[in-house]
Amino acid sequence: MIVGNGAVDCRYAPIIESADLVVRFNDCRSSGASGLRTDVVAVCNTGRPAKSMLGSNVWRSHPAVAQAGEIWCVRDPRKFAAMKPLIAVLHPELDDFCDDGTQAFNAFCLESGKRCFVIDERTHDWVDDVLQSYHPAPYVVPSSGIIVIASVLDRYPDATVTIVGFGHEGWEYHPFAAERRLVDDYVTLGKLRRL
C-alpha cells in the first residue's frame, strides 16, 4: 500500500492498516485519519525537504516515522550530483536542490534501528524514459510518488500494489499530468490498484 500525501477517505483506514507493507512520504501527513500503520517512510533526501526533515525533532519523533522500519531515499546521490551543473544553469533559483542529505538519513537510521535504502538512479532514468511517451511539459524531476511506485513494482513484481492519496498535483517542476496518465494506464493494465 503506497499512501500519498493527498486526501485519503478515512473509510480506507482499515484497508491501509491491513496491508502487508505500508509506504508513506516525507512528513507522513497522510497518517492519522487514514490509519497509523507505517512500515516505510519514503523521503526526498535532497534540498530543502531533506534539510527540513533532518533538522526537525517533530519529524524525527513523528509516530509514523518512529514506527517505520525503513527509510527509503528517493533520490540517488549519484544522479543528483550529475544533474547539479545543469540545474544551476536552467534553474539558478534551485541552488540547493541537489544538496544531498543521504548520509544524514543513514545516520538517523543507524541511531534509530532502521534500514536505509536508496532507490537506484536506474529507476529514476526508467521513469524519465517512460514519461516521455506522455509528452510531459518541461520538468526538473519526477515526483517522489512515481519513483516509489516504479520501485515497488520492480522490487515486488508478484505483489498486489495499491495506491491511495495521489492527487498528482503539487510542485510546479514535477510532470504531474504525465504521471497521472502513466498511473491511469497502470491501473487499466492491472499493474496497480487505486482505492
Side-chain angles (χ1 to χ4, degrees), residues 73 101-111 114-117:
C73 295
T102 306
Q103 290 305 317
F105 280 111
N106 190 55
F108 168 71
C109 287
L110 290 172
E111 293 165 9
K114 303 180 190 305
R115 178 177 178 260
C116 187
F117 171 73

Side-chain angles (χ1 to χ4, degrees), residues 14 16 30 36 47 62 77 99 115 143 187:
I16 293 168
S30 66
L36 298 174
H62 189 289
D99 292 355
R115 178 177 178 260
S143 71
V187 170

Side-chain angles (χ1 to χ4, degrees), residues 109-183:
C109 287
L110 290 172
E111 293 165 9
S112 54
K114 303 180 190 305
R115 178 177 178 260
C116 187
F117 171 73
V118 179
I119 297 177
D120 191 273
E121 65 181 326
R122 290 175 296 177
T123 300
H124 188 126
D125 292 341
W126 183 86
V127 169
D128 277 329
D129 289 344
V130 170
L131 287 174
Q132 291 313 304
S133 62
Y134 296 91
H135 310 291
Y139 67 94
V140 176
V141 290
S143 71
S144 296
I146 200 69
I147 296 293
V148 168
I149 289 170
S151 180
V152 168
L153 290 173
D154 181 56
R155 293 177 71 196
Y156 305 101
D158 298 323
T160 300
V161 180
T162 304
I163 64 168
V164 65
F166 280 79
H168 304 288
E169 57 189 14
W171 193 50
E172 63 184 305
Y173 293 128
H174 289 322
F176 282 120
E179 290 181 12
R180 178 188 294 275
R181 291 174 60 204
L182 174 60
V183 168

Side-chain angles (χ1 to χ4, degrees), residues 56-73:
S56 168
N57 288 329
V58 172
W59 180 81
R60 289 170 177 268
S61 62
H62 189 289
V65 175
Q67 181 184 118
E70 299 186 13
I71 301 291
W72 291 359
C73 295

